[in-house]
Amino acid sequence: MTQRMILSKEEMEEVVMKRCWLARYWGLAVQYGIYPDISMSKYEYWSSFAPLPLEYVTSAGLRAKDGGSNELEETDMLVHDLTVTAGEGNIETMLAVDKGLKELAFLKVEDAVLIALAQHHRPNVAELSDPDIKSSGDEKFTEAFDLSKEEEEDVLFKQAWLMYFWRRAKIHNVEEDIAEERLQMWVDRHGQQPTSHDAVDVEQGIHELRKLGIEQLLWEFSRQEVNVAEGELSDAEDDLT
């Protein structure tokens, strides 16, 4: 079977989500002087596709929280607004985004942003950037402290990200033994005033999502599902001719 080159609406929404991630963290890199020789050009490139990353991801998270009510209509509008550039919607679009995310991870931009956010608000304090922190119940974190506005935004952004991907995981029976529990956990946490505990927990959540390969599993499932549907449609059309 020839590989499908055009992305489905769900796949295109995922592309937009990941462009938002890239635009947000390269934008914060610019703000905090991280990789100053390349961060501005990277930010300008990705933000040209995703000019409002926080708003878009937050909206996607709220739809996931509400169970996807009016999902099709809202998805169509949101994706269309950010995919009007010629040449959008093909497999090369996703490959470019994946390459961008790998570069972001290789350069450890997200880690550097976390350190910058913590140190900007609390000089000499960067514990929240430590990926080895295993629990918000750790002794040195028994007393939660307030976050800066920028840190709160980062927590809310990542909570929305987690709700979005765990909702899709639940719908498509990916990691079905834990998907519903994880989704409910992040839904319950969303809307509360974020504290340092939430900042630690959301980093753990992102780490778990990546360790389990949820995004890749959803991508593979979507490619397979749509390919099968298109194959069945093609067979039906052949039967009619």
Side-chain angles (χ1 to χ4, degrees):
M1 180 183 293
T2 303
Q3 185 182 36
R4 177 169 55 86
M5 298 299 293
I6 303 302
L7 302 181
S8 68
K9 286 186 175 67
E10 186 176 35
E11 290 167 346
M12 199 59 227
E13 184 180 39
E14 183 175 335
V15 166
V16 175
M17 289 283 288
K18 291 179 176 179
R19 283 173 167 172
C20 287
W21 186 280
L22 287 160
R24 173 170 174 79
Y25 286 101
W26 279 119
L28 288 169
V30 171
Q31 182 177 339
Y32 291 104
I34 299 164
Y35 289 109
D37 52 333
I38 62 170
S39 58
M40 180 56 77
S41 62
K42 298 290 185 183
Y43 169 67
E44 289 177 346
Y45 177 76
W46 292 112
S47 64
S48 69
F49 297 111
L52 297 170
L54 179 63
E55 291 80 356
Y56 183 90
V57 172
T58 299
S59 175
L62 288 174
R63 283 187 287 111
K65 179 180 179 180
D66 295 336
S69 58
N70 299 321
E71 182 174 2
L72 183 60
E73 294 83 355
E74 291 186 27
T75 296
D76 285 349
M77 289 187 292
L78 287 165
V79 172
H80 176 73
D81 288 345
L82 294 177
T83 57
V84 293
T85 306
E88 298 286 355
N90 57 49
I91 189 69
E92 292 181 0
T93 309
M94 177 60 91
L95 295 176
V97 167
D98 282 343
K99 182 179 179 181
L101 289 170
K102 287 177 181 177
E103 178 185 41
L104 197 77
F106 177 76
L107 295 174
K108 299 186 182 299
V109 174
E110 296 139 308
D111 293 343
V113 165
L114 281 178
I115 293 172
L117 285 171
Q119 291 183 335
H120 184 72
H121 185 51
R122 294 173 302 281
N124 304 319
V125 177
E127 289 92 339
L128 291 182
S129 65
D130 186 352
D132 294 327
I133 294 172
K134 301 301 181 184
S135 170
S136 60
D138 196 290
E139 288 184 3
K140 60 184 175 182
F141 282 97
T142 53
E143 293 296 328
F145 52 83
D146 293 337
L147 302 176
S148 67
K149 180 178 180 294
E150 291 78 10
E151 289 172 312
E152 287 182 2
E153 281 186 354
D154 201 54
V155 170
L156 295 174
F157 180 85
K158 288 171 178 172
Q159 284 179 343
W161 186 271
L162 289 162
M163 287 190 292
Y164 171 80
F165 279 102
W166 280 118
R167 170 66 69 184
R168 286 184 59 201
K170 178 185 175 183
I171 290 171
H172 296 302
N173 297 317
V174 172
E175 292 290 342
E176 54 189 320
D177 54 330
I178 62 170
E180 184 170 2
E181 177 190 347
R182 293 296 190 275
L183 172 62
Q184 192 58 51
M185 179 180 74
W186 294 114
V187 166
D188 291 343
R189 300 286 287 274
H190 189 264
Q192 301 177 16
Q193 181 71 23
T195 69
S196 57
H197 288 180
D198 298 298
V200 172
D201 291 345
V202 82
E203 291 307 316
Q204 287 183 286
I206 294 293
H207 177 72
E208 178 186 47
L209 198 75
R210 291 173 175 173
K211 184 177 180 180
L212 293 173
I214 299 298
E215 295 169 40
Q216 181 62 31
L217 289 170
L218 286 169
W219 168 253
E220 292 172 358
F221 180 88
S222 177
R223 299 296 291 173
Q224 180 181 17
E225 184 180 54
V226 177
N227 282 338
V228 169
E230 289 181 348
E232 291 175 349
L233 178 61
S234 177
D235 291 342
E237 290 174 346
D238 290 342
D239 291 341
L240 293 173
T241 58

